[in-house]
Amino acid sequence: MDSMRRILFYLVVTAWPFSVAGELTADTAEYRMNAGDRISIRVYGESDLSVDAMLGESGSINYPFLGEVEVAGLTPTELEAKIFKGLEGDYLVNPSITVTITQYRPVFIYGEVQVPGGYSYQPGLTVGKAAALAQGLTERGSESRIYLTREGMPEGKKMRVSLSTKLQPGDVITIEQGFF
């Protein structure tokens, strides 16, 4: 019986619509980097200026020639512009810079799932898919009593969401017990 419920849960989750009007979405083009993200900075033709780094709690990285560079809160495009401005002129003429996120900070899922914890974020991840990564809901897990806490929300505030809600890196999901 338990394996049948897991199979049904998986089928429902994978067939769930990818976007619902009014739902929370993660737009990776406007994604703002923060602690826990791993980034790669490449400067064409300048291997000494290429850096791979994980953002720590300070939100900054140590970059050659520029020293401490504040990264937290910037999009990859904004960081490219910041590094371009710092390198252009004194160090390079018209540098070609690319910033990519090689690993997003994890999402966390707690409550009535088989294996609660942190899971790697991938673009397009929904609450339902995160629950599937956590090996599904427990017997008491509710498919309607799901709450999300997102960075930037007031302390202690959580919002009720559905299985189709798109997640962002750093989101915390709590699945409560359902009363049948």
Side-chain angles (χ1 to χ4, degrees):
M1 179 67 176
D2 191 42
S3 63
M4 183 62 137
R5 181 180 171 159
R6 284 186 186 179
I7 291 170
L8 287 172
F9 178 77
Y10 176 78
L11 291 173
V12 167
V13 167
T14 56
W16 215 268
F18 284 98
S19 69
V20 176
E23 288 289 337
L24 303 169
T25 60
D27 183 356
T28 54
E30 293 299 317
Y31 177 72
R32 302 228 171 249
M33 298 174 284
N34 210 336
D37 289 329
R38 183 173 293 282
I39 63 171
S40 174
I41 303 170
R42 297 288 177 253
V43 179
Y44 180 74
E46 300 291 334
S47 60
D48 292 347
L49 297 176
S50 294
V51 172
D52 292 313
M54 177 173 283
L55 296 181
E57 287 299 315
S58 71
S60 62
I61 60 168
N62 191 6
Y63 192 79
F65 299 121
L66 303 180
E68 287 292 311
V69 176
E70 184 66 32
V71 175
L74 298 177
T75 67
T77 303
E78 290 170 343
L79 181 57
E80 287 172 6
K82 188 174 194 174
I83 293 172
F84 179 90
K85 186 176 180 179
L87 294 177
E88 185 183 44
D90 291 340
Y91 301 107
L92 300 172
V93 176
N94 199 23
S96 177
I97 301 162
T98 304
V99 174
T100 55
I101 300 167
T102 56
Q103 183 179 354
Y104 294 93
R105 56 194 181 278
V107 297
F108 299 90
I109 185 164
Y110 299 107
E112 295 298 320
V113 290
Q114 298 294 331
V115 184
Y119 292 91
S120 294
Y121 173 83
Q122 293 295 317
L125 187 66
T126 63
V127 172
K129 289 177 183 178
L133 289 173
Q135 298 183 14
L137 302 178
T138 64
E139 286 183 20
R140 295 182 180 175
S142 172
E143 292 180 15
S144 61
R145 297 184 66 194
I146 303 170
Y147 296 92
L148 176 108
T149 303
R150 178 162 287 162
E151 292 174 0
M153 290 176 68
E155 188 75 28
K157 175 118 170 92
K158 57 185 180 180
M159 139 181 37
R160 194 172 203 153
V161 295
S162 70
L163 290 171
S164 63
T165 300
K166 288 192 175 185
L167 297 175
Q168 293 181 8
D171 282 353
V172 178
I173 307 153
T174 304
I175 299 181
E176 294 185 351
Q177 288 185 359
F179 300 103
F180 302 99

